[in-house]
Amino acid sequence: MINGNKRPTIYDVARHAGVSITTVSRVLNDPGRVNPETRRKILASIDALGFVPKAEARARAMQKNGRIGVVTPFFTAPSFVQRLRGIATVLSSKNFELVIYPVYSADHLQRYLSTLPLTGNLDGLIVLSLPVNDEEAERLIRHNLPTVLIEYPHPALNCVEIDDVEGGRMAANYLLSKGHRRIAFLGDTDLPEYAIHPVSLRLSGFRQALKEAGIDLPEAFVRLAPYTQEQTRQVAKELLELPEPPTAIFAATDFQALGVLKAARQLGVEVPGQLAVIGFDDLDMAEYADLTTISQHLDESGKLAVEILFAQLESPSRLPRHVKLPLTLIERKTA
Amino acid sequence: MINGNKRPTIYDVARHAGVSITTVSRVLNDPGRVNPETRRKILASIDALGFVPKAEARARAMQKNGRIGVVTPFFTAPSFVQRLRGIATVLSSKNFELVIYPVYSADHLQRYLSTLPLTGNLDGLIVLSLPVNDEEAERLIRHNLPTVLIEYPHPALNCVEIDDVEGGRMAANYLLSKGHRRIAFLGDTDLPEYAIHPVSLRLSGFRQALKEAGIDLPEAFVRLAPYTQEQTRQVAKELLELPEPPTAIFAATDFQALGVLKAARQLGVEVPGQLAVIGFDDLDMAEYADLTTISQHLDESGKLAVEILFAQLESPSRLPRHVKLPLTLIERKTA
DNA sequence: ATAAAAGGTGAAAGTGCTTTCATCAGTTGT
DNA sequence: ACAACTGATGAAAGCACTTTCACCTTTTAT
């Protein structure tokens, strides 16, 4: 190939065939008007250069395939991945494209939300664990972009919600039923402003349930750590080294529960003998760690979101649906 | 409405909002650079007029679609996710869309590979751990779709490779250096035909190194299990219950190494005292489990792939580049 | 032979958008 | 008080095509 560079344009074809671009264009759009002789020459050049009129290809491609966008806090946390998995499964079976928009900042989110309905070329949108305000919601609706929010409620949009408060209660009640009285909570520090914070809700349910049972939750038993294994472990260690350490810890996410388990291992604290640990999420790895936890059916919620989305695609005038997925306590070996 | 029919253009919006088209364009493409006040005004105008930028004009002006595709075996395995993470990070910083094509069967793969260059509307493609044959490669090239293969070599395409054989050797040599002589291998069963199987390569390197050291690898010490925690655990248990069990196990992936650890825990086998375990991948969770493993720099490899892709986008005539990422042994506490 | 119509082609003016570069008003540093 | 930035904006130059219009040959009709 003589020309190594770039995709050929109509100009290249024109030059190659010794005609003007006008004529080339006509061969493509109105072949009747061009001399058969010239036409053949041009067609030959088109083949030789492998010229593909771009605009056409694009329009066709954009029209033909369905595209669903997923806006997600950058999928560092395993729980996002697992939800994404549910989404991908259904989407692919329906032959829809999956476009991912990772969010790294509030700015990012804002930008996607205002821009996607316009330039995104999407048939539908799923927003994962991110806050959508009224203005943004209204814009999504006005631009007819069917949307499902996961883990964040908005009256005007479809939502798949988790009852985090209830989850906190479940954890508390379970530990209470096992006879624990000195129970601590370990959550993550506030996420950056752009994400939502279900962990606080879990804490509040947890606190409520304890209170109802007449159990005190001292401030020293409520600890937050950044969402990393190492820092969580450190904080868990501090909890366990208290003069009167808790006999049970509710970790607001499985990922952090693993940090707690690690701390216990290092300190030689026996689980569940000396310390009960319960998590939240039921990640894949919870099973590996034999972690007792509260499952929020991550894969399920992803699938469900897609299904709601498709339902709305079919009847766009449907009222927004709000679904609350049940939580399940999975009893394994750490509590 | 004053304006007759016709879809509104960026000019209409600009006029309506009392700004220049430049600023309107910026609201769509780089909202950060425009004053929030102005931005809101413009967004309001956009909504009022129902403006939708024409995708075709857009792509023409940009000389790109701003979309890159990733074909991946359905991302159930954590290692894919982690690579994807690297990819997503770079992509998003360059303002490109990430389109995911999950592959569930050989058929699927074949279909993507043949249709994406035509209708995919992509600027580039990344293929994750999937085999691409000559015919498919040729088509990708003919249609000018810059492509990077990860974990699968092809002479005509860019590749980011892992030296799995060397990885196997590293594992073997490390365990040998620790004085182990009875060393077992635990891999996953063959993946479905559509995926490639680096695990066999790891095994062969492992075997070689042992052989060179004059150590025997009895068939009973080479075990395969489906890629699930439970089944892996079962097989590991069988290994450990052998009359003369191994003193070290090389698990071909971290995920499976965790299964081994679990089996050991359940049998009361002390790690690393009675049993050394080494994995492969260095997943996030490897750190949690204190797993000694061979890191293949998953995030890195994803990033690298994107960078190679962009390099090719800039100079399309470049020869395909083949990069072999180094492996690193991460010594933690299980071996 | 001669005007009129037809056939074929190219120069150039759109098309709707992005992006570079210049401008200009405010800040900040000294 | 004055140079040196910074942030926000617009004018204008692309981008890859399509379309209009004017031009030049040929044919055909008279």
Side-chain angles (χ1 to χ4, degrees):
Chain A
M1 200 190 284
I2 295 173
N3 164 4
N5 266 16
K6 288 287 172 192
R7 271 156 85 152
T9 76
I10 200 171
Y11 288 88
D12 300 319
V13 177
R15 200 175 320 117
H16 187 273
V19 297
S20 81
I21 58 163
T22 310
T23 311
V24 177
S25 171
R26 260 195 286 264
V27 168
L28 266 23
N29 300 302
D30 195 355
R33 243 173 228 150
V34 60
N35 185 307
E37 186 61 28
T38 322
R39 191 195 313 155
R40 203 173 30 238
K41 216 169 50 189
I42 294 178
L43 283 175
S45 296
I46 286 180
D47 286 353
L49 300 184
F51 168 73
V52 179
K54 285 189 202 167
E56 236 174 286
R58 118 144 338 76
R60 223 177 307 139
M62 286 303 202
Q63 224 65 56
K64 185 184 115 193
N65 279 324
R67 292 158 42 85
I68 299 285
V70 176
V71 181
T72 163
F74 180 39
F75 50 103
T76 197
S79 60
F80 296 127
V81 174
Q82 230 162 301
R83 262 203 263 260
L84 224 40
R85 198 158 72 190
I87 294 173
T89 313
V90 187
L91 241 36
S92 142
S93 79
K94 305 230 180 189
N95 228 333
F96 268 63
E97 264 185 7
L98 169 58
V99 190
I100 300 215
Y101 301 95
V103 171
Y104 297 86
S105 68
D107 215 56
H108 237 88
L109 171 61
Q110 156 90 24
R111 166 188 176 166
Y112 281 140
L113 255 25
S114 63
T115 243
L116 283 184
L118 304 176
T119 66
N121 249 271
L122 297 172
D123 298 306
L125 187 66
I126 295 179
V127 180
L128 233 57
S129 311
L130 290 165
V132 175
N133 65 35
D134 289 349
E135 189 188 333
E136 291 156 347
E138 204 210 320
R139 148 179 300 271
L140 291 171
I141 292 166
R142 193 168 35 226
H143 287 277
N144 296 310
L145 182 59
T147 302
V148 179
L149 269 33
I150 299 189
E151 231 188 340
Y152 186 86
H154 190 287
L157 297 171
N158 296 298
C159 306
V160 175
E161 288 178 69
I162 312 302
D163 194 341
D164 286 296
V165 175
E166 175 58 19
R169 305 182 68 94
M170 286 171 72
N173 288 328
Y174 177 77
L175 293 174
L176 288 169
S177 79
K178 290 280 184 168
H180 293 281
R181 290 299 174 267
R182 310 180 43 73
I183 312 180
F185 174 90
L186 203 167
D188 57 0
T189 49
D190 284 332
L191 292 173
E193 3 73 280
Y194 64 89
I196 62 173
H197 203 228
V199 166
S200 335
L201 298 174
R202 294 174 197 169
L203 171 56
S204 95
F206 181 71
R207 187 171 255 143
Q208 265 174 42
L210 290 186
K211 194 169 180 187
E212 285 163 18
I215 302 287
D216 186 44
L217 179 60
E219 272 321 299
F221 274 14
V222 175
R223 298 299 305 269
L224 302 180
Y227 194 78
T228 71
Q229 207 75 80
E230 182 45 29
Q231 314 221 46
T232 302
R233 193 191 53 71
Q234 185 53 41
V235 169
K237 188 159 168 269
E238 291 168 25
L239 271 176
L240 295 176
E241 281 171 340
L242 250 33
E244 277 199 290
T247 65
I249 295 181
F250 169 36
T253 64
D254 279 1
F255 188 70
Q256 296 197 283
L258 295 182
V260 174
L261 290 178
K262 189 163 174 178
R265 229 163 45 223
Q266 290 177 345
L267 295 175
V269 173
E270 208 181 295
V271 173
Q274 300 170 257
L275 176 73
V277 178
I278 184 168
F280 199 111
D281 277 347
D282 196 25
L283 301 179
D284 286 345
M285 46 174 149
E287 200 200 328
Y288 151 72
D290 286 329
L291 179 68
T292 293
T293 189
I294 294 179
S295 165
Q296 56 164 316
H297 307 283
L298 293 164
D299 290 63
E300 245 352 277
S301 70
K303 273 187 207 166
L304 186 58
V306 178
E307 269 148 25
I308 293 178
L309 200 54
F310 278 115
Q312 166 136 26
L313 282 180
E314 266 154 42
S315 44
S317 56
R318 255 186 9 135
L319 286 178
R321 195 180 291 172
H322 284 229
V323 182
K324 208 158 232 173
L325 231 48
L327 295 165
T328 318
L329 199 144
I330 310 271
E331 193 167 354
R332 281 193 277 247
K333 300 188 183 149
T334 60
Chain B
M1 201 187 282
I2 296 172
N3 168 358
N5 40 6
K6 282 287 172 193
R7 271 169 52 176
T9 75
I10 199 171
Y11 289 89
D12 301 320
V13 177
R15 200 173 320 114
H16 187 275
V19 297
S20 79
I21 57 162
T22 309
T23 310
V24 177
S25 170
R26 261 195 286 261
V27 167
L28 264 27
N29 299 296
D30 198 354
R33 277 213 230 304
V34 45
N35 186 308
E37 186 64 28
T38 319
R39 192 197 309 157
R40 211 180 10 248
K41 215 169 51 189
I42 295 178
L43 282 175
S45 296
I46 287 179
D47 288 352
L49 301 183
F51 166 68
V52 178
K54 274 184 133 184
E56 183 225 310
R58 201 152 189 265
R60 187 197 326 138
M62 296 202 278
Q63 319 213 70
K64 65 177 191 198
N65 294 301
R67 293 160 36 88
I68 96 113
V70 176
V71 181
T72 163
F74 180 41
F75 51 102
T76 197
S79 61
F80 295 126
V81 174
Q82 231 163 301
R83 260 201 264 263
L84 225 40
R85 199 160 71 189
I87 294 174
T89 312
V90 187
L91 240 40
S92 140
S93 79
K94 305 227 182 192
N95 234 319
F96 268 68
E97 269 185 4
L98 201 203
V99 190
I100 300 221
Y101 301 95
V103 170
Y104 298 84
S105 70
D107 208 54
H108 237 87
L109 172 60
Q110 164 88 26
R111 193 162 53 223
Y112 282 142
L113 254 23
S114 62
T115 119
L116 284 186
L118 298 174
T119 79
N121 239 271
L122 299 172
D123 295 309
L125 188 67
I126 295 179
V127 180
L128 234 54
S129 312
L130 290 165
V132 174
N133 66 33
D134 289 349
E135 190 189 332
E136 292 157 346
E138 205 216 320
R139 187 170 18 233
L140 292 172
I141 293 167
R142 198 175 42 232
H143 289 280
N144 295 305
L145 184 58
T147 302
V148 179
L149 269 35
I150 297 189
E151 234 190 337
Y152 186 84
H154 191 288
L157 297 171
N158 297 296
C159 305
V160 174
E161 289 178 69
I162 312 301
D163 193 341
D164 286 296
V165 175
E166 175 58 18
R169 307 182 67 95
M170 285 170 72
N173 288 328
Y174 177 78
L175 293 174
L176 287 170
S177 79
K178 291 277 183 172
H180 293 281
R181 291 300 175 266
R182 310 181 43 73
I183 310 180
F185 175 92
L186 205 167
D188 58 359
T189 49
D190 284 332
L191 292 171
E193 7 71 284
Y194 64 88
I196 62 173
H197 202 229
V199 167
S200 334
L201 298 174
R202 294 174 195 168
L203 172 56
S204 97
F206 181 71
R207 188 170 253 143
Q208 266 173 40
L210 289 186
K211 194 168 180 189
E212 284 164 19
I215 304 287
D216 188 42
L217 180 61
E219 271 321 299
F221 274 15
V222 175
R223 299 298 306 269
L224 302 181
Y227 193 79
T228 71
Q229 206 77 81
E230 183 45 29
Q231 313 221 47
T232 303
R233 194 191 53 72
Q234 186 52 39
V235 169
K237 187 157 169 270
E238 290 169 27
L239 270 176
L240 295 176
E241 281 171 340
L242 249 33
E244 277 200 289
T247 66
I249 295 181
F250 170 36
T253 64
D254 279 0
F255 188 70
Q256 296 197 282
L258 296 182
V260 174
L261 290 178
K262 189 164 176 176
R265 230 164 42 225
Q266 289 177 344
L267 295 176
V269 172
E270 207 182 296
V271 174
Q274 298 171 258
L275 176 73
V277 178
I278 183 169
F280 199 113
D281 278 347
D282 195 25
L283 300 180
D284 286 346
M285 46 174 148
E287 200 200 328
Y288 153 71
D290 286 329
L291 180 66
T292 294
T293 190
I294 295 180
S295 164
Q296 55 164 316
H297 306 283
L298 292 164
D299 289 63
E300 249 348 281
S301 71
K303 275 188 205 165
L304 186 58
V306 178
E307 268 146 27
I308 293 178
L309 200 53
F310 279 112
Q312 167 139 22
L313 282 181
E314 266 152 42
S315 43
S317 55
R318 254 183 13 132
L319 287 176
R321 195 180 290 175
H322 285 230
V323 182
K324 208 158 230 170
L325 232 46
L327 295 165
T328 317
L329 199 142
I330 310 270
E331 194 168 352
R332 282 193 273 248
K333 300 191 181 145
T334 61

